[in-house]
Amino acid sequence: MTEPRWLDEGEKAAWIAFLSATNLVNRRLEQQLKDDAGLSHTQYEVLVQLNAAADGALRMTELADRLVTSKSGLTYQITQLERAGLVSRRSCPSDVRGVFAEITDQGREALRSAAPGHVEAVRQALIDVLTPEQLGHIAAGLGEVSRRLRAEPRCPSQAPQGA
Amino acid sequence: MTEPRWLDEGEKAAWIAFLSATNLVNRRLEQQLKDDAGLSHTQYEVLVQLNAAADGALRMTELADRLVTSKSGLTYQITQLERAGLVSRRSCPSDVRGVFAEITDQGREALRSAAPGHVEAVRQALIDVLTPEQLGHIAAGLGEVSRRLRAEPRCPSQAPQGA
DNA sequence: ACTCCGTTGTTAAAATTTGAACCACCGGCG
DNA sequence: CGCCGGTGGTTCAAATTTTAACAACGGAGT
C-alpha cells in the first residue's frame, strides 16, 4: 500500500468548487420548485422525462435509471405524483411484472406551468453565470464523467494494465 | 410576461451533464464511504472541516454554512458523530448560546483512515477523468457559481439596471 | 414442461433531511 | 436597568431516502 496520490492545489480547488456548487445549486432549485410549483426537484424531473418520452410513459426501472435514483425511491415518488393526479400507473402488456408510469394531462399542464420559473432559476444559478466557452467545457467534462460512471457500476480498478 | 428564455442545445447539454454527473458522483462517493469507512459523505466532510480548523473546532452555524446544510440537519449529524466518539461538543466561553463541535483524537484517526480510499474514489469518479485543462475550467466556472450563490441568498433580480 | 437465476416493482423499517416552532440569550437603545 | 429585534441551537413531526427483504415473473437450458 503506497502513499495515496493526494490532490494537488488545482485538483483540490476543482473538487471543492464542484462540491460547493452542486450543493448550492441543488438547494436553490429545490427551494424554487417547492415554493413556486409545489414540486420537489425529483418530481419535476419525473415529469420532464415522461413528457419527453414517446407515449408519455416509461417503465419504472428505466425511469429510475434516468433519474439516478433507487427503485424504491421512485416507487415512493410515483405514488405521490399519482396521488396528486400528475401521473398514473399502467401495467405493461408484454410483461406482467412491468409497470409504466404515464404522465397525465394534468401532469403536462403542471409541467408547462412550472417550467418557465424553473428554467429561469437554472439560468440564474448556473447557465447565465458562465460564458458560452465555460459552459462548453463543463458540458464536455461532466458529460464524460457521467458516461463513465454510468458504464462502470463499480470496479476497484478496471484500468488496463499498461504496456 | 414574455416568453421565457429556454435553454439552447448547448445550454441544455451542459445542464443535463451537470445534473447527471453530480447525482452519479454523489451516489458513488456516498457508497464508497459507507462501505469502506462507515461514514456518510456529510459526516466525512464534518471531520474534514474540523480537522482543518484552527483548534479542531468550529461553531455549529459556521460549520453548517460550510457544509451547505441546515442547522437542524447538522445538529443531527453531530449527535451521531458524538455518539460514535469522533466529535465532541464544547460550549462557547464568550457566548452561552454557542456550541463548538470539536474533533476528537479518535475522529482524526477515523479521518486519516478513511481519507486514502475517499481520495482514490474522487479521482476515479471525477479528477482523473478530466484533463488538467478541463479541471481548470471546471474549477473556475463552478467556483464562480458557488461564489455567487453564497453571496445572494435569494433575489428575484438583483442585476444592476444598465446605463 | 421444469428448474434455476436474474429481473421487476413493492414493501417495511430504519436512517436522514426538512421546516417550523421554540427557548434562551446577545446587543443596542431609551 | 428593561425592552426588542435578531441570533444560535435544539426539538419535534412530517416528508423523503435508504436498505434489505419479498413475491411473482421471464427466459434460457435440458
Side-chain angles (χ1 to χ4, degrees):
Chain A
M1 186 76 92
T2 64
E3 178 71 5
R5 291 160 49 231
W6 301 110
L7 304 186
D8 66 34
E9 279 314 303
E11 291 168 337
K12 197 182 303 185
W15 176 237
I16 290 178
F18 179 85
L19 271 188
S20 180
T22 59
N23 281 331
L24 289 165
V25 169
N26 281 335
R27 181 166 289 270
R28 174 63 59 97
L29 292 185
E30 202 70 57
Q31 177 106 36
Q32 182 274 324
L33 279 172
K34 190 92 63 183
D35 289 349
D36 299 352
L39 293 171
S40 69
H41 193 196
T42 305
Q43 295 176 330
Y44 182 87
E45 286 301 323
V46 167
L47 295 181
V48 168
Q49 292 292 333
L50 293 183
N51 187 58
D55 313 325
L58 285 173
R59 287 286 292 270
M60 294 295 279
T61 296
E62 169 68 11
L63 191 49
D65 284 344
R66 296 200 193 187
L67 302 187
V68 190
T69 195
S70 65
K71 288 187 300 177
S72 63
L74 182 61
T75 291
Y76 175 78
Q77 285 300 67
I78 291 296
T79 301
Q80 297 309 103
L81 286 169
E82 196 169 30
R83 188 169 300 168
L86 308 185
V87 156
S88 67
R89 274 186 238 246
R90 178 158 51 89
S91 60
C92 175
S94 64
D95 186 336
V96 184
R97 298 166 304 174
V99 172
F100 277 107
E102 179 175 26
I103 190 170
T104 63
D105 289 342
Q106 199 183 332
R108 294 202 199 257
E109 181 48 34
L111 181 57
R112 200 160 19 240
S113 139
H118 176 65
V119 171
E120 186 50 36
V122 171
R123 282 195 175 284
Q124 278 192 23
L126 186 77
I127 305 292
D128 289 352
V129 173
L130 304 170
T131 65
E133 295 73 43
Q134 285 182 311
L135 220 49
H137 291 311
I138 286 184
L142 297 188
E144 177 64 15
V145 168
S146 299
R147 215 165 302 123
R148 296 225 193 169
L149 285 178
R150 281 189 193 283
E152 156 218 322
R154 63 174 65 186
C155 309
S157 75
Q158 184 94 358
Q161 303 298 333
Chain B
M1 184 76 89
T2 64
E3 177 72 6
R5 293 157 50 226
W6 301 112
L7 304 186
D8 66 32
E9 280 313 304
E11 292 168 337
K12 197 182 303 186
W15 176 238
I16 291 178
F18 179 85
L19 270 188
S20 182
T22 59
N23 280 331
L24 289 166
V25 169
N26 281 335
R27 183 166 288 272
R28 173 63 60 96
L29 291 186
E30 202 69 58
Q31 178 103 41
Q32 184 274 321
L33 278 172
K34 189 91 67 184
D35 289 349
D36 298 352
L39 294 171
S40 69
H41 192 195
T42 305
Q43 295 175 331
Y44 182 85
E45 287 300 325
V46 167
L47 295 182
V48 168
Q49 293 292 333
L50 294 183
N51 188 59
D55 312 326
L58 286 172
R59 289 285 292 268
M60 294 297 279
T61 296
E62 168 68 10
L63 191 48
D65 285 342
R66 296 200 193 187
L67 301 187
V68 190
T69 195
S70 64
K71 286 186 302 176
S72 63
L74 181 62
T75 291
Y76 175 78
Q77 284 302 131
I78 291 294
T79 301
Q80 296 309 104
L81 285 168
E82 196 168 30
R83 187 168 302 168
L86 307 185
V87 156
S88 65
R89 274 185 239 246
R90 178 157 52 92
S91 59
C92 175
S94 64
D95 185 337
V96 183
R97 299 166 303 172
V99 172
F100 277 107
E102 177 174 29
I103 190 170
T104 63
D105 289 342
Q106 198 183 333
R108 296 205 198 254
E109 181 49 34
L111 181 57
R112 200 158 22 235
S113 140
H118 176 65
V119 171
E120 185 51 37
V122 171
R123 284 195 173 284
Q124 278 191 24
L126 185 78
I127 304 292
D128 289 353
V129 173
L130 304 171
T131 66
E133 293 75 43
Q134 286 182 309
L135 220 47
H137 292 311
I138 287 185
L142 297 188
E144 178 64 15
V145 168
S146 299
R147 215 164 303 123
R148 295 226 193 169
L149 286 177
R150 281 190 193 282
E152 158 219 321
R154 62 175 65 185
C155 309
S157 75
Q158 183 95 354
Q161 305 297 335

